Amino acid sequence: MEEANTMLTIVGLIIIISIVTMLIFKKVSPVVGMTIIPIIGALVLGHGFGDIRKYVDSGFDQVFNVAVMFIFAIIYFGIISDSGLFRPLVKGMIKLTRGNIIIVAIVTTIIGTFAQLDGAGATTFLLAIPALLPLYRTLKMSPYLLVLLLALSAAIINMVPWGGPMARTASVLKVDNINQLWYNIIPIQLIGIVLAILFAIYLGLREKKRIAREFPNEETIKVDMNEIIENYQKDQEENASIKGEAKKHTYILWLNLILTIIIVAMMLLDIVPPELAFMIGVGIALPLNFRDVDEQMDRLRAHAPNALMMAAVILAAGVFLGILNETGMLESIALSLIDVIPTAVGPYLHIIIGMLGVPLDLLTSTDAYYFAVLPIVESTASQFGVPSLSTAYSLMIGNIIGTFVSPFSPALWLAVGLAEINMGKYIKYAFFWIWGFSIVMLFIAILLGIVTI
């Protein structure tokens, strides 16, 4: 029996280490790694394809609803973004700054908060950076500060159910109704937004002092807000080739806003499950914004790649989790770790790993963190009486703030390109601010009882 457990542990660790290593060095895609390697591991342990089929079916049962939700959430918010719903908000916010450095920092944070509501970092950066970068340059503010503030606020909002980290967490915990996870997180999101605004004020004051120090003899900078707004409008029109109903009728934007509020409310009040809410949303938003059937199909084809890519990763994770759970590998790894970890440390393991969440984001990909690290920590911590939800929240809160400081984030590379900055310098500029913020958020979660010790 002991030899069998040892074999389970060894093969399980080889599977996890192989997947993490290959993802880090980009040798395989997440779909390939989380599908093929666990199957090979199961075959090595002597399980036949009949058994593996049962394990995979069990894994699919865990993640299917999340995958469906992701597909329709991405398509829905893609359609809403196509309509230009957020552009008037961005323009209004830019006008509000009136060239005041501190207000610019605050507005940057607010724009990042609203722009990330679709759960896509790329959309946030595409919407905000072209609009704000000319203002930052005129005021001699650092573009690194621009990306930092957007990254921080976007990461806080990224805890929504249709965000990648929450979907991955739900898959690992076998949670069918992802809203159950989100309800407990909402207070920490609200507090995080307030803290992010306060942090923006501090960094704005710091930036103002830096500008005064570096440009002591320069007169008060005059900003032509109308010119900046006109340039932003022109840039958006040049980049938007989509001709939907919102372009013809402004009231469509208001209908999109009302529809979005209704969809989110239906989820919050648990009237319908998230996947059905977004299916309904897509069914209404498509004809509302694009009357022509060919245009509707074009929009579906435009957003399908992103939707299917993430859904494929979630389903591949189902294979990985199903095999590791059903063969007993995950449990065996956890029991082996318990023998190694000092008893005094065990009950705090989830806190320790949560505090290291941002540095781990620089060492692992997001998929590796949630599908390899989280299951092991959850299984091990549960042996010390730590609830699974507490472990999941600790690791997610500790890590998610660092989403857009990791070079493994494709959206961050987009932000770096748009802001015309250097990735290495950005990480050096933002890393410790982001890490410190994540630790503060984790301790607030502990004080609120979201994460228990």
Side-chain angles (χ1 to χ4, degrees), residues 54 57 80 97 148 152 242 275 353 392:
K54 294 176 184 175
D57 285 344
I80 294 300
T97 65
L148 168 59
L152 182 62
I242 301 157
E275 59 272 20
I353 301 299

Side-chain angles (χ1 to χ4, degrees), residues 209-395:
K209 290 178 182 177
R210 181 194 66 80
I211 293 168
R213 186 173 61 252
E214 292 184 9
F215 305 97
N217 300 321
E218 192 147 331
E219 296 179 4
T220 303
I221 300 168
K222 293 182 180 179
V223 183
D224 188 343
M225 298 306 300
N226 289 329
E227 183 181 349
I228 289 174
I229 292 291
E230 285 174 11
N231 289 337
Y232 169 66
Q233 184 103 9
K234 184 180 177 182
D235 181 68
Q236 291 293 310
E237 287 174 358
E238 286 176 356
N239 291 329
S241 58
I242 301 157
K243 305 294 182 184
E245 293 301 311
K247 299 271 181 165
K248 305 172 190 173
H249 311 291
T250 308
Y251 72 87
I252 298 291
L253 290 177
W254 288 103
L255 293 177
N256 282 320
L257 177 61
I258 293 167
L259 176 61
T260 303
I261 292 170
I262 291 171
I263 295 298
V264 174
M266 288 170 70
M267 291 174 55
L268 278 172
L269 299 174
D270 206 18
I271 296 171
V272 295
E275 59 272 20
L276 180 55
F278 283 116
M279 288 177 78
I280 294 169
V282 170
I284 297 172
L286 262 180
L288 175 65
N289 289 280
F290 304 97
R291 300 286 167 83
D292 185 80
V293 175
D294 289 336
E295 286 182 339
Q296 293 177 22
M297 295 306 297
D298 283 342
R299 290 301 88 213
L300 286 174
R301 279 190 287 268
H303 300 296
N306 287 334
L308 293 177
M309 181 180 67
M310 193 61 214
V313 170
I314 296 292
L315 291 172
V319 176
F320 169 78
L321 295 169
I323 291 175
L324 261 69
N325 275 316
E326 297 299 321
T327 57
M329 280 188 271
L330 204 57
E331 183 182 358
S332 184
I333 292 169
L335 292 172
S336 298
L337 284 175
I338 289 168
D339 293 335
V340 177
I341 296 171
T343 307
V345 174
Y348 307 102
L349 179 63
H350 60 308
I351 304 294
I352 294 168
I353 301 299
M355 290 179 68
L356 296 173
V358 172
L360 283 172
D361 222 27
L362 296 180
L363 301 174
T364 64
S365 68
T366 304
D367 291 313
Y369 181 83
Y370 285 96
F371 294 134
V373 177
L374 175 56
I376 293 176
V377 177
E378 186 273 325
S379 296
T380 307
S382 65
Q383 302 297 321
F384 291 95
V386 179
S388 296
L389 278 179
S390 183
T391 300
Y393 288 144
S394 181
L395 266 66

Side-chain angles (χ1 to χ4, degrees), residues 90-304:
V90 172
K91 287 195 292 183
M93 286 289 180
I94 293 173
K95 283 183 180 179
L96 186 66
T97 65
R98 296 183 180 178
N100 184 297
I101 290 172
I102 297 168
I103 296 176
V104 169
I106 295 170
V107 163
T108 302
T109 303
I110 295 172
I111 289 175
T113 299
F114 281 98
Q116 186 63 26
L117 283 172
D118 67 348
T123 303
T124 301
F125 296 130
L126 281 169
L127 187 68
I129 292 177
L132 291 168
L133 188 59
L135 186 58
Y136 270 69
R137 283 176 173 163
T138 302
L139 295 172
K140 294 183 167 46
M141 295 175 70
S142 171
Y144 291 94
L145 176 61
L146 166 61
V147 178
L148 168 59
L149 292 174
L150 288 173
L152 182 62
S153 53
I156 294 167
I157 295 300
N158 209 32
M159 296 182 200
V160 292
W162 51 91
M166 185 66 82
R168 292 177 176 92
T169 302
S171 302
V172 171
L173 295 186
K174 310 175 191 176
V175 175
D176 288 331
N177 188 348
I178 201 169
N179 285 346
Q180 294 171 2
L181 288 177
W182 187 34
Y183 290 151
N184 294 331
I185 287 288
I186 291 173
I188 203 73
Q189 281 184 290
L190 296 174
I191 292 171
I193 292 167
V194 173
L195 289 178
I197 291 172
L198 293 174
F199 186 51
I201 294 171
Y202 168 74
L203 290 181
L205 288 167
R206 184 169 166 266
E207 188 72 357
K208 191 174 182 179
K209 290 178 182 177
R210 181 194 66 80
I211 293 168
R213 186 173 61 252
E214 292 184 9
F215 305 97
N217 300 321
E218 192 147 331
E219 296 179 4
T220 303
I221 300 168
K222 293 182 180 179
V223 183
D224 188 343
M225 298 306 300
N226 289 329
E227 183 181 349
I228 289 174
I229 292 291
E230 285 174 11
N231 289 337
Y232 169 66
Q233 184 103 9
K234 184 180 177 182
D235 181 68
Q236 291 293 310
E237 287 174 358
E238 286 176 356
N239 291 329
S241 58
I242 301 157
K243 305 294 182 184
E245 293 301 311
K247 299 271 181 165
K248 305 172 190 173
H249 311 291
T250 308
Y251 72 87
I252 298 291
L253 290 177
W254 288 103
L255 293 177
N256 282 320
L257 177 61
I258 293 167
L259 176 61
T260 303
I261 292 170
I262 291 171
I263 295 298
V264 174
M266 288 170 70
M267 291 174 55
L268 278 172
L269 299 174
D270 206 18
I271 296 171
V272 295
E275 59 272 20
L276 180 55
F278 283 116
M279 288 177 78
I280 294 169
V282 170
I284 297 172
L286 262 180
L288 175 65
N289 289 280
F290 304 97
R291 300 286 167 83
D292 185 80
V293 175
D294 289 336
E295 286 182 339
Q296 293 177 22
M297 295 306 297
D298 283 342
R299 290 301 88 213
L300 286 174
R301 279 190 287 268
H303 300 296

